[in-house]
Amino acid sequence: MKLIVSSAPHIKSAETTQSIMMKVIIATIPAMIASVLFFGVGSLLRIAVSVAACMFFEFRYEKAMKKPVTVSDLSAAVTGVLLAFNVPSTMPLWQVVVGALVAIVVVKQLFGGIGFNFANPAIVARIVLSISYAGTMTAYTLDGVACSTPLADYSNGMGAVPNIMDMFIGKTGGVIGETSAVALLIGFVFLVATKVISPVVPVTYVATVAVLAAVLGMNPLVYVLGGGLLLGAIFMATDYTTTPYTTKGKLVYGVCLGILTVVIRRFGSMAEGVSYAILIMNLLLPYVNRATRQHPLGAPKKTKEAK
């Protein structure tokens, strides 16, 4: 009998990076359809350009560095979709390409590729684009007419509570992938049902935002349905590389995300706070993992060494 000795992991799954990423792409399809319905084919064009640019930059970088080409695992395609979801339907295409360069080369590949990025690539790219091209990143339209987001209007006290049904369906101003709550929730159910993500972080994140909004006298539904909360909670706060690996860690992570988001929205100068909240918690992830890691059963407790 031959004894086979191999390194961990010893429990293997039929799932691959490619199959997982394909399921994520499938989960984004409802939001893609909603974006075309409300913002026109311009949104679909930006999604296509973003995906193509992300895959191109990953391919060229890995070829130039003589590294194995991993573009077929579809992780770059997922980044491209999420990046496009974070820009308006009127964003100049060349600026979308700049975002793809930041996401793939600067955030992902320079740190070692998939599994080594310090933060979610699409989140960092959105922040860079928001700082660099603030005018075009806030040029929202609906039915061809320039508009603002309902969350911005509500936060600035520019009117009554927005129409909740419009916010749920997605008939509001905003970036391509964030406005339709129902489309995002369909994707969420699919990802949980196929066990691609755990519901702990999204549910904890959204629940924390809703509770704190109510405590501060704000409308919880506006805070949950407005802005990029659902998009960020479902598709970006659940990134494998930048998410805690224990249930306790995920709970802490989700609560901290919710607190940061509400603090930025309520007391900061921006109506939105999801991107910065996720980036901050991405950077703090090692500390969350360290504080919430499980200790081996039966392992002796550490004692102070005698001086």
Side-chain angles (χ1 to χ4, degrees):
M1 181 178 177
K2 186 181 293 185
L3 179 64
I4 300 175
V5 180
S6 62
S7 60
H10 302 294
I11 300 176
K12 298 184 178 180
S13 168
E15 289 281 18
T16 63
T17 300
Q18 185 185 68
S19 65
I20 290 172
M21 294 301 156
M22 178 57 72
K23 289 176 182 176
V24 175
I25 292 173
I26 292 172
T28 63
I29 291 176
M32 289 185 197
I33 295 172
S35 71
V36 174
L37 291 176
F38 295 117
F39 305 122
V41 294
S43 60
L44 199 59
L45 176 61
R46 278 146 189 84
I47 293 171
V49 169
S50 181
V51 170
C54 284
M55 296 183 75
F56 171 79
F57 285 130
E58 179 152 301
F59 175 80
R60 291 310 309 166
Y61 181 89
E62 290 176 334
K63 291 290 284 186
M65 296 293 107
K66 294 181 170 52
K67 297 172 61 178
V69 176
T70 60
V71 71
S72 62
D73 67 14
L74 299 180
S75 61
V78 169
T79 297
V81 173
L82 296 180
L83 171 59
F85 274 13
N86 280 277
V87 303
S89 60
T90 56
M91 187 85 173
L93 296 180
W94 69 269
Q95 292 179 5
V96 176
V97 174
V98 171
L101 177 65
V102 171
I104 296 298
V105 177
V106 178
V107 183
K108 184 181 179 183
Q109 290 298 335
L110 287 180
F111 285 86
I114 186 171
F116 296 97
N117 44 285
F118 69 95
N120 183 281
I123 282 291
V124 178
R126 172 173 178 162
I127 292 174
V128 170
L129 291 176
S130 296
I131 295 172
S132 304
Y133 312 111
T136 52
M137 276 293 287
T138 55
Y140 309 121
T141 62
L142 183 63
D143 296 328
V145 179
C147 64
S148 58
T149 67
L151 181 62
D153 288 344
Y154 180 73
S155 299
N156 294 331
M158 295 175 62
V161 175
N163 187 301
I164 299 300
M165 184 54 67
D166 284 347
M167 296 178 70
F168 183 69
I169 295 172
K171 195 176 180 181
T172 63
V175 296
I176 288 173
E178 74 179 11
T179 62
S180 179
V182 63
L184 293 169
L185 289 173
I186 292 172
F188 171 67
V189 171
F190 175 79
L191 291 175
V192 172
T194 54
K195 298 182 179 180
V196 173
I197 66 170
S198 163
V200 176
V201 171
V203 171
T204 306
Y205 186 3
V206 172
T208 302
V209 170
V211 170
L212 290 179
V215 169
L216 294 174
M218 309 300 287
N219 188 303
L221 286 176
V222 176
Y223 260 46
V224 169
L225 300 178
L229 177 60
L230 293 180
L231 174 61
I234 296 168
F235 289 101
M236 287 175 283
T238 54
D239 175 45
Y240 288 175
T241 308
T242 55
T243 303
Y245 45 73
T246 66
T247 300
K248 185 192 300 183
K250 288 179 171 67
L251 288 169
V252 171
Y253 195 74
V255 170
C256 290
L257 282 169
I259 293 172
L260 285 170
T261 299
V262 173
V263 167
I264 294 171
R265 285 182 174 185
R266 186 68 181 86
F267 303 107
S269 59
M270 299 176 292
E272 183 58 275
V274 173
S275 297
Y276 288 96
I278 293 177
L279 176 58
I280 291 170
M281 289 311 301
N282 284 173
L283 298 176
L284 295 177
L285 177 65
Y287 303 100
V288 175
N289 279 333
R290 187 181 305 169
T292 59
R293 65 185 176 186
Q294 295 175 324
H295 297 283
L297 183 64
K301 294 182 179 179
K302 291 184 179 180
T303 58
K304 294 183 179 179
E305 295 181 0
K307 294 183 179 180

